[in-house]
Amino acid sequence: MPIEEANGLKLHTQHLATGEGMPPVLMLHGLVIDNLSSWYYTIANPVAQVADVHLVDLRGHGRSEMPKTGYKVEDNVDDVVALLDRWGITEPVHLFGNSFGGVVSLALAHRHPDRVASLFLIEAHFAVEGWGEHMAGSLALAAFGLDEDAVQDWLAENADRKLSRLAKRSERFLTETTLIDDLQAEQPITWLPEIACPTYAMYGAETDIMDRALELQAKVPGCELEIVPGCSHSLLTEQSGLVRDRALAWLARVS
Amino acid sequence: MPETVTPESVLAELETILTEVIGDDLLLDGPLTMETSFDQDLQLESIEFVALSEKLLETYGEQVDFVGWLAEMELDDIIALTVGQLVDFVASNASSASSTSGREA
């Protein structure tokens, strides 16, 4: 299992390479119950036919270390930049971000514009006014729910192995780290007009965060927005074939 | 890479790898067969499937092109994968793989 030491943490990464001299792509996943496998199962392998694809389990997720603290967007940006340094990737990368991975991608492009060639965002979930309370509120509910003895008993009796392992790991993430506090402390993003790289954003028409889609389109210079009919926030898995086709077309244009 | 690669030898290797990846949680009602599915029967987590692919790559070398193989599949195909499909893919491709590549440890 490729474990990289970066920013003082052990992070699980995967490198999918099929040839030399291909443009570097880094894919960042969503929050808590997500990890790099959502990319691996959907578009990472097809994209690796034309690009040098790197995947990472963000801190606390998948097979990466789960430190007690440091779950602000900026901490994740620091982790990713440390990884790029460790891999010796100095040329700008094409960042793919799903949900929370989208806000990490945006923040990286803002803070380190020389490291990012383009942004391909799926259901990017970034801070607007009141975001911290909204995200942390729904997460806190899950945390408290999982704390209930009755729920634990139900999981032990009824949930299949996969669900109960994921539930236990998520519970530990939510109750034993500063994740919720860190998310609550996030400030609304004010710097979207400063994003300087080409940006493509996809959202499901039934998403609960359509306001983010419209804000990206309105504020990120040249941002191309595509709304996919009939899809929810789980656009990546609901329409992986379509997302794959858009990703390949995007890379053909910007790399 | 093992010297002779047959579906039987790949199946045995896969059982060893699964035990490494899943640990003591690997609970099977019967032996691992070609019909066993990773999702329904083994309840393999998707992140564990990534680890399994990686270990097979270490064992059989890069000429067993998992990236290319998975690239041809839709999400539903990957979720529905059986042990037999994976074994047949490895066995048919590993026989042409370089004998110099393989597990280092």
Side-chain angles (χ1 to χ4, degrees):
Chain A
M1 177 165 71
I3 295 290
E4 296 283 3
E5 290 265 355
N7 201 21
L9 289 175
K10 292 184 173 66
L11 298 174
H12 171 222
T13 67
Q14 292 282 331
H15 183 202
L16 309 178
T18 58
E20 300 291 321
M22 292 182 175
V25 166
L26 175 60
M27 299 183 176
L28 304 176
H29 61 75
L31 208 53
V32 183
I33 58 168
D34 204 2
N35 56 55
L36 64 76
S37 68
S38 59
W39 290 114
Y40 189 90
Y41 267 53
T42 55
I43 73 169
N45 287 289
V47 170
Q49 306 302 304
V50 300
D52 198 36
V53 173
H54 292 270
L55 305 172
V56 55
D57 279 337
L58 296 171
R59 59 168 63 202
H61 296 80
R63 299 194 155 207
S64 285
E65 189 177 341
M66 186 186 291
K68 297 288 184 198
T69 60
Y71 292 95
K72 292 193 288 293
V73 171
E74 294 308 313
D75 298 315
N76 284 280
V77 169
D78 291 341
D79 293 347
V80 172
V81 171
L83 272 178
L84 291 174
D85 290 342
R86 179 148 184 93
W87 289 326
I89 298 178
T90 52
E91 68 175 293
V93 300
H94 300 277
L95 279 181
F96 284 38
N98 183 36
S99 191
F100 181 74
V103 69
V104 177
S105 300
L106 283 161
L108 205 158
H110 177 244
R111 262 181 57 197
H112 303 276
D114 54 324
R115 307 298 292 265
V116 182
S118 76
L119 295 174
F120 184 83
L121 307 174
I122 301 164
E123 288 283 331
H125 209 319
F126 55 91
V128 292
E129 202 68 49
W131 178 80
E133 291 83 349
H134 170 73
M135 274 301 274
S138 58
L139 286 171
L141 199 65
F144 293 134
L146 288 171
D147 262 346
E148 297 285 339
D149 289 345
V151 175
Q152 289 290 7
D153 290 344
W154 180 88
L155 280 172
E157 281 179 27
N158 296 293
D160 61 29
R161 170 185 168 273
K162 202 166 36 176
L163 176 58
S164 90
R165 277 166 68 101
L166 190 59
K168 282 176 190 161
R169 192 183 308 139
S170 301
E171 182 195 25
R172 187 158 67 92
F173 200 175
L174 295 172
T175 58
E176 297 180 16
T177 75
T178 61
L179 176 72
I180 291 175
D181 290 341
D182 290 348
L183 288 177
Q184 252 167 342
E186 286 292 335
Q187 296 300 309
I189 287 178
T190 55
W191 39 256
L192 287 178
E194 297 166 33
I195 298 290
C197 62
T199 302
Y200 195 88
M202 298 180 78
Y203 287 82
E206 312 300 326
T207 185
D208 52 349
I209 54 168
M210 187 58 79
D211 54 337
R212 271 67 162 199
L214 300 176
E215 185 150 330
L216 278 185
Q217 186 182 38
K219 294 188 175 169
V220 174
C223 175
E224 296 179 39
L225 173 65
E226 178 174 0
I227 306 293
V228 183
C231 285
S232 72
H233 187 59
S234 303
L235 172 61
L236 176 60
T237 49
E238 288 171 352
Q239 281 288 346
S240 56
L242 177 78
V243 175
R244 172 195 61 214
D245 294 346
R246 294 295 188 270
L248 293 171
W250 176 250
L251 284 175
R253 280 170 56 195
V254 296
S255 65
Chain B
M1 190 183 70
E3 283 186 8
T4 53
V5 179
T6 64
E8 291 74 24
S9 73
V10 177
L11 184 63
E13 181 69 26
L14 191 58
E15 188 151 10
T16 305
I17 291 174
L18 275 170
T19 310
E20 288 175 29
V21 169
I22 305 180
D24 295 338
D25 274 0
L26 181 61
L27 298 172
L28 286 169
D29 292 333
L32 190 71
T33 72
M34 298 290 266
E35 285 73 41
T36 307
S37 73
F38 290 104
D39 183 60
Q40 284 296 315
D41 297 331
L42 292 176
Q43 298 288 329
L44 201 67
E45 280 189 82
S46 47
I47 195 75
E48 292 169 336
F49 184 78
V50 176
L52 177 139
S53 307
E54 185 191 322
K55 284 180 183 291
L56 284 170
L57 204 64
E58 288 172 11
T59 304
Y60 294 102
E62 290 190 356
Q63 288 188 44
V64 179
D65 178 16
F66 281 104
V67 177
W69 188 55
L70 293 172
E72 295 298 316
M73 291 187 207
E74 300 296 336
L75 176 59
D76 290 345
D77 300 329
I78 300 179
I79 290 172
L81 264 180
T82 63
V83 165
Q85 285 174 281
L86 185 57
V87 165
D88 287 341
F89 166 72
V90 173
S92 61
N93 285 270
S95 55
S96 60
S98 163
S99 60
T100 56
S101 61
R103 192 192 288 271
E104 291 174 5

